[in-house]
Every structure is written in structure tokens, then in C-alpha cells.
């Protein structure tokens, strides 16, 4: 696992990534894509050691960025950051 390369401090804050993605999934029923992105950015920004490089909601099949959640499209949240 790549977590082996993290320091003890980095390992202690890494769960914020999963918590953020899980919260985005929960909020997807009530928030717009723009609001979800803003939420994720704010969550990651609470941890000074994390630098968000990328967060997008994308079509799960094509990985194209989507701007609106639709019931006939499966979406996935994609994130990249530096620790």
C-alpha cells in the first residue's frame, strides 16, 4: 500500500480523504455538482498538510466531467491531493 510511504502524522490525517468522499456521496442527493465540489474543497482545506490538486464529479463510464447529476448517469467523485 502507498500508505507505507506516509509518515505517522500523514497516516493519521489520511482518513479525511475517505470521510470527504463518503460525505460527498451522501450529499449528492441534495446538492448540485458545484456545491459538492465546494464542500469537498472546504473539507480538505481544514487540514493544512493536505493540498488539493483535483476534485471533480465525473461520469463513471467515460470519466468525463459532469456539471449536473442526472438519474440516468452513474457518477463518481475523483480526487487527487498532496500530503
Amino acid at each position: 500500500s502507498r500508505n507505507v510511504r506516509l509518515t505517522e502524522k500523514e497516516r493519521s490525517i489520511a482518513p479525511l480523504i475517505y470521510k470527504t468522499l463518503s460525505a460527498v456521496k451522501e450529499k449528492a442527493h441534495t446538492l448540485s455538482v458545484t456545491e459538492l465540489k465546494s464542500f469537498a474543497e472546504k473539507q480538505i482545506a481544514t487540514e493544512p498538510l493536505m493540498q488539493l490538486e483535483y476534485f471533480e464529479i465525473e461520469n463513471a463510464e467515460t470519466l468525463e466531467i459532469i456539471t449536473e447529476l442526472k438519474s440516468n448517469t452513474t457518477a463518481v467523485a475523483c480526487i487527487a491531493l498532496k500530503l
Side-chain angles (χ1 to χ4, degrees):
S1 164
R2 288 178 289 228
N3 288 347
V4 173
R5 297 181 183 165
L6 300 177
T7 66
E8 190 173 322
K9 174 66 175 165
E10 291 168 338
R11 273 192 294 266
S12 73
I13 62 173
L16 178 59
I17 301 165
Y18 176 78
K19 289 177 186 174
T20 298
L21 292 173
S22 294
V24 165
K25 183 178 180 179
E26 287 178 24
K27 294 177 181 295
H29 304 290
T30 57
L31 298 180
S32 69
V33 170
T34 301
E35 292 168 323
L36 291 170
K37 288 175 65 173
S38 178
F39 170 80
E41 290 166 0
K42 288 176 184 172
Q43 290 298 112
I44 297 300
T46 65
E47 178 47 63
L49 291 179
M50 289 187 177
Q51 296 175 332
L52 185 65
E53 294 185 342
Y54 182 87
F55 182 85
E56 292 292 346
I57 306 294
E58 301 176 359
N59 179 302
E61 293 179 22
T62 65
L63 295 181
E64 292 177 348
I65 295 171
I66 58 176
T67 57
E68 184 180 353
L69 294 171
K70 297 179 182 176
S71 60
N72 63 342
T73 302
T74 304
V76 62
C78 299
I79 191 168
L81 55 86
K82 281 187 182 179
L83 263 178

